[in-house]
Amino acid sequence: MTRRAKVFVSRIIPEAGLGRVRAACDVDVWQDALPPPYDVLKSRVFGVEGILSTLNDQIDDELMDAAGDSLKVISQMSVGVDNIDVVAAHRRGIKVGNTPGVLTDATADIAMALLLAAARRIVEGVEYIQSGHWRTWEPMGLLGGDLSGATLGLIGLGRIGRAVARRARGFEMRLVAHSPSCPAEEAAALGVTLVSLEQVLREADYLSIHVPLKPDTRHMIDRDRLALMKKSAILINTARGAIVDQMALYDAVKNRDIGGAALDVTDPEPIPLNDPLLTLPNVIVVPHIGSASHRTRDKMAAMAAENLLAGLAGHSLPNEV
Ligand code: DGY
């Protein structure tokens, strides 16, 4: 009988991935709706060869110590791996996998959904009806912003930023981006003008963030940078909450220094119910659902399973960080 590798899967994930892991490994799947607390995670990974993680799991040096020398691969079911100490993993010879590409379209769709919802005050409109305020068509009621002719500023022009740019062109928006690593001709082919970060902030009617969370992007959008934005501008964040200084964002929206915000990601997650941001009518917050389409989550799970199985077999991962 062939030996089956012992692995821990930290959440119930789509069968497209879980089925493949179950078929090949001796699997311990965390069954709760909430992620395992850190101490529990530490005890559950003891002696495993592979971990299939999600962005909720704190995977640091201590956790890898708790797993022990058997750990060969950490396969995360997301593209962002800011919860994993990748340097520590590599130092120990542990491979780290992620799921780039398959969630690009779904995440770009959510960025556009938030942009449209904030521009045209969709959530306020729903609440207006539900609270019994809608009495007639109103010539001056719930007026919002147009997309056509407006400037969309993109911070980051990687896969997701580019997918948002392609969508925004269909809405006849003018596109500027800050993306030091994007070749100018590639940006030009998308109809995007590359400019400095300050210029994006100053010119954007809608600002959409598409950079990973790293030490140098944490609180990249701080009080000073928010102060550069137009008073009417709307900030959209589908990347990671901590890229924006959330207290500074609250102050900027509250004091009408910017027009509003639409967030798929917050810092922390979930956003506490008493967070002042949730009291502002021109702030929309949704619960990190950028990749939450059936097809996308199936693909993410399948890709995470492939990475895990490759790492267990001692091969390089199809998508290695
Ligand atoms: C990712 O893959 O990093 C996304 O945030 C998950 O939705």
Side-chain angles (χ1 to χ4, degrees):
M1 201 177 79
T2 50
R3 196 185 64 82
R4 291 163 72 85
K6 204 176 149 199
V7 303
F8 181 68
V9 179
S10 72
R11 299 295 281 284
I12 298 175
I13 63 168
E15 202 47 36
L18 195 51
R20 295 176 68 171
V21 179
R22 275 210 189 96
C25 306
D26 173 7
V27 194
D28 176 15
V29 184
W30 180 253
Q31 297 290 332
D32 279 21
L34 294 178
Y38 183 65
D39 282 340
V40 177
L41 185 61
K42 266 173 41 181
S43 66
R44 292 288 272 265
V45 298
F46 173 73
V48 300
E49 288 173 55
I51 301 173
L52 197 155
S53 57
T54 73
L55 52 83
N56 294 116
D57 306 316
Q58 181 188 330
I59 304 201
D60 52 15
D61 237 345
E62 200 178 318
L63 192 286
M64 293 178 226
D65 270 341
D69 292 342
S70 54
L71 186 60
K72 291 182 185 160
V73 55
I74 301 161
S75 172
Q76 173 131 316
M77 191 182 130
S78 70
V79 66
V81 289
D82 44 280
N83 57 308
I84 301 176
D85 186 340
V86 177
V87 174
H90 287 167
R91 199 175 52 234
R92 292 161 182 262
I94 299 169
K95 295 191 167 93
V96 179
N98 69 342
T99 62
V102 291
L103 46 79
T104 299
D105 285 328
T107 309
D109 288 348
I110 275 285
M112 289 308 295
L114 287 173
L115 196 164
L116 280 159
R120 299 305 301 274
R121 305 177 62 182
I122 299 295
V123 175
E124 285 175 84
V126 171
E127 281 166 2
Y128 195 67
I129 293 175
Q130 287 177 345
S131 59
H133 285 97
W134 188 28
R135 292 180 306 166
T136 179
W137 181 83
E138 291 168 71
M140 305 289 283
L142 284 171
L143 305 185
D146 289 295
L147 267 64
S148 69
T151 298
L152 173 63
L154 297 161
I155 299 184
L157 204 54
R159 287 185 204 87
I160 298 173
R162 291 173 196 213
V164 172
R166 284 193 295 274
R167 284 157 175 73
R169 276 187 80 178
F171 284 89
E172 300 175 349
M173 301 185 82
R174 174 179 168 258
L175 302 169
V176 295
H178 175 65
S179 182
S181 61
C182 180
E185 52 292 0
E186 284 181 29
L190 284 164
V192 180
T193 307
L194 290 176
V195 295
S196 68
L197 179 56
E198 282 64 31
Q199 207 173 333
V200 172
L201 292 162
R202 285 186 208 282
E203 291 188 12
D205 296 302
Y206 304 93
L207 179 79
S208 193
I209 300 173
H210 302 289
V211 287
L213 176 62
K214 292 186 174 165
D216 62 334
T217 59
R218 181 172 293 276
H219 285 198
M220 178 187 202
I221 305 301
D222 58 9
R223 218 167 271 284
D224 292 345
R225 288 189 167 138
L226 286 164
L228 297 176
M229 293 174 67
K230 292 184 184 175
K231 289 207 177 300
S232 55
I234 290 172
L235 180 144
I236 296 124
N237 190 5
T238 54
R240 283 293 182 269
I243 295 166
V244 178
D245 175 345
Q246 213 159 272
M247 206 53 228
L249 177 65
Y250 168 74
D251 289 339
V253 179
K254 170 92 180 137
N255 300 331
R256 300 186 179 279
D257 293 331
I258 69 169
L263 312 173
D264 181 42
V265 288
T266 59
D267 178 28
E269 290 183 5
I271 188 169
L273 274 181
N274 62 359
D275 191 296
L277 264 182
L278 298 178
T279 64
L280 300 175
N282 43 352
V283 173
I284 298 172
V285 185
V286 294
H288 203 151
I289 53 172
S291 63
S293 75
H294 294 289
R295 188 180 67 189
T296 298
R297 287 285 165 84
D298 279 353
K299 286 186 179 171
M300 288 166 72
M303 197 179 241
E306 275 168 30
N307 284 336
L308 183 81
L309 298 180
L312 293 172
H315 301 143
S316 52
L317 314 190
N319 288 284
E320 191 157 342
V321 178

